[in-house]
């Protein structure tokens, strides 16, 4: 686990918005002319939702970032 509580909620909300942007009616009209970019947004949204769900971000591991508290031994 390297994703903290606040980071997890932000990822969840932003990921949900990105996924909804391509499929939900009011948002879909905004990105309809973007072509393949709407699919890229959807993939980014799914990745953000997955990292929020599993509380693990591979990019954070590579960069040495940790937003959650460490357990005290």
């Amino acid at each position: 686990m390297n994703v903290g509580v606040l980071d997890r909620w932000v990822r969840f909300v932003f990921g949900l918005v990105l996924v909804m942007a391509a499929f939900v009616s009011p948002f879909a009209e905004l990105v309809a002319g973007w072509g393949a970019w709407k699919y890229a947004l959807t993939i980014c949204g799914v990745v953000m939702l997955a990292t929020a769900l599993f509380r693990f971000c591979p990019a954070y591991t590579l960069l040495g970032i940790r937003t959650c508290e460490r357990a005290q031994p």
Side-chain angles (χ1 to χ4, degrees):
M1 289 188 336
N2 62 1
V3 176
V5 176
L6 178 62
D7 191 6
R8 188 177 181 194
W9 279 104
V10 170
R11 286 173 183 267
F12 180 78
V13 170
F14 195 63
L16 196 60
V17 168
L18 288 176
V19 170
M20 287 174 44
F23 300 108
V24 177
S25 183
F27 298 114
E29 294 169 5
L30 294 173
V31 296
W34 290 13
W37 282 104
K38 70 179 180 179
Y39 300 113
L41 288 176
T42 304
I43 291 169
C44 289
V46 168
V47 168
M48 293 188 85
L49 287 171
T51 57
L53 178 68
F54 295 116
R55 295 183 287 186
F56 178 76
C57 178
Y60 277 10
T61 302
L62 292 173
L63 298 172
I65 299 171
R66 185 179 181 100
T67 60
C68 67
E69 296 180 14
R70 295 181 188 244
Q72 297 296 328

